[in-house]
Amino acid sequence: MPTRRPDPARCLPSAEAQASRFARQREADRAATAEDYVELIADLIREEKEARAVVIARRMGVSQATVTATVARLQRDGLVETQPYRGLFLTEAGQQMAAAARARHELLVRFLIALGLDAETAEQDAEGLEHHVSDKALAVFGKFLEGR
Amino acid sequence: MPTRRPDPARCLPSAEAQASRFARQREADRAATAEDYVELIADLIREEKEARAVVIARRMGVSQATVTATVARLQRDGLVETQPYRGLFLTEAGQQMAAAARARHELLVRFLIALGLDAETAEQDAEGLEHHVSDKALAVFGKFLEGR
DNA sequence: TGCAAATCTTAGCCTACACTAAGTTTTGGA
DNA sequence: TCCAAAACTTAGTGTAGGCTAAGATTTGCA
Ligand SMILES: [Mn+2]
Ligand SMILES: [Mn+2]
Ligand SMILES: [Mn+2]
Ligand SMILES: [Mn+2]
């Protein structure tokens, strides 16, 4: 009987490796709200010329007070600038984050649809997956799309 | 010049549709910690006969105090039972959640690797993606795996 | 042009999930 | 057997991201 290597799927990773995966996850979680906001702000500016807090509240499904608080954090973090009653604006950093978020979002949606998922589910899933997919995985998805 | 339908990718979804996607996302986010804990607890029980809080702290990369607090919530939510100095146990509901989490996790890893991603990145990404992938998407991934 | 409605802010509250520091309890080995 | 180390809990703190209710400011239209 040959000594068989344990099935990797049935074998725990080292504590350190696992801990660092979870730590990276927590990182991504913390960044997710910022990404969704700047992506939405960029979309609104492109499609409707301005990004008003009311509209963001409506589209995020959240109260206006929550938007005020969240935007204050985004401003503190140098992603957004505000002029009350005049909408929100993205800083350079905010525009870069928005562009990256949009690219990830759209690639994911195209990938999921190419695999046979319906459009609405693809959009729904992409909204969450986009924050947890690595650049390496995105590259692999892109390659899949190219190869039909 | 034919009237052309707007490119869906360049067109905002309705406020209601978008809000409900984000709401679903927030749901998934809230469930993620519980899923990771019960999955880990199940793995530890299977691989090491018991799931001690210390070990969970080490593997989650988190303090023991954090584990105490989180486990209290899991217990409150009927997923886990505890006997101090004797490890953690899963309730029926906890076992079901763990099994589902494990299945999603493993399918995702196999899928990512099949697409050409390296194993470590696949594991890293799966740890986050697993909480945001719908059953429909998983079904599609499974089909892809079957078709080689 | 003036005021009602829309927009935005403030105040006060809550939960989840992190942390450190300082206990308490259990266990196992000399 | 007993005591030091390991395991666990408690207390106190902080931030993110939600909420409602109430107040302030601006806008637009009658
Ligand atoms: Mn998103
Ligand atoms: Mn998005
Ligand atoms: Mn996970
Ligand atoms: Mn997992």
Side-chain angles (χ1 to χ4, degrees), chain A residues 29-51:
Chain A
D29 275 339
R30 261 185 290 112
T33 301
E35 286 173 7
D36 282 337
Y37 270 70
V38 299
E39 193 185 344
L40 215 207
I41 290 168
D43 285 348
L44 288 172
I45 288 174
R46 184 183 33 254
E47 302 289 328
E48 310 188 342
K49 300 299 190 277
E50 59 172 8

Side-chain angles (χ1 to χ4, degrees), chain A residues 22 25, chain B residues 32 35-36 39 105 125-131:
Chain A
F22 282 124
Q25 252 349 99
Chain B
E35 286 173 6
D36 283 336
E39 195 187 343
H105 190 123
D125 284 17
E127 200 53 76
L129 299 176
E130 62 181 351
H131 310 288

Side-chain angles (χ1 to χ4, degrees), chain B residues 46-63:
Chain B
R46 186 184 29 253
E47 302 290 329
E48 311 188 342
K49 298 299 189 280
E50 60 173 6
R52 305 294 293 238
V54 227
V55 174
I56 292 171
R58 203 143 45 219
R59 300 194 89 98
M60 297 288 305
V62 124
S63 73

Side-chain angles (χ1 to χ4, degrees), chain B residues 56-73:
Chain B
I56 292 171
R58 203 143 45 219
R59 300 194 89 98
M60 297 288 305
V62 124
S63 73
Q64 281 196 41
T66 293
V67 171
T68 299
T70 302
V71 165
R73 281 191 297 275

Side-chain angles (χ1 to χ4, degrees), chain B residues 34-111:
Chain B
E35 286 173 6
D36 283 336
Y37 270 71
V38 297
E39 195 187 343
L40 215 208
I41 291 168
D43 285 347
L44 288 171
I45 289 174
R46 186 184 29 253
E47 302 290 329
E48 311 188 342
K49 298 299 189 280
E50 60 173 6
R52 305 294 293 238
V54 227
V55 174
I56 292 171
R58 203 143 45 219
R59 300 194 89 98
M60 297 288 305
V62 124
S63 73
Q64 281 196 41
T66 293
V67 171
T68 299
T70 302
V71 165
R73 281 191 297 275
L74 299 179
Q75 201 164 9
R76 179 201 62 190
D77 296 342
L79 296 167
V80 158
E81 276 158 8
T82 68
Q83 297 172 23
Y85 299 92
R86 206 144 286 286
L88 307 180
F89 304 88
L90 295 176
T91 63
E92 258 314 309
Q95 285 175 40
Q96 277 173 31
M97 181 183 285
R102 180 181 176 78
R104 275 203 307 275
H105 190 123
E106 290 188 357
L107 179 61
L108 261 175
V109 169
R110 285 196 295 129
F111 174 69

Side-chain angles (χ1 to χ4, degrees), chain A residues 84-139:
Chain A
Y85 299 94
R86 199 146 290 284
L88 308 180
F89 304 89
L90 295 176
T91 63
E92 257 315 308
Q95 285 174 41
Q96 277 173 31
M97 181 183 285
R102 181 180 175 77
R104 275 202 307 276
H105 189 121
E106 291 188 357
L107 178 61
L108 262 174
V109 169
R110 284 197 294 129
F111 175 69
L112 292 173
I113 288 177
L115 278 170
L117 200 60
D118 64 284
E120 177 49 35
T121 306
E123 278 294 342
Q124 171 68 54
D125 285 15
E127 201 54 75
L129 299 177
E130 61 180 353
H131 310 288
H132 298 90
V133 69
S134 63
D135 288 346
K136 282 187 186 172
L138 280 175

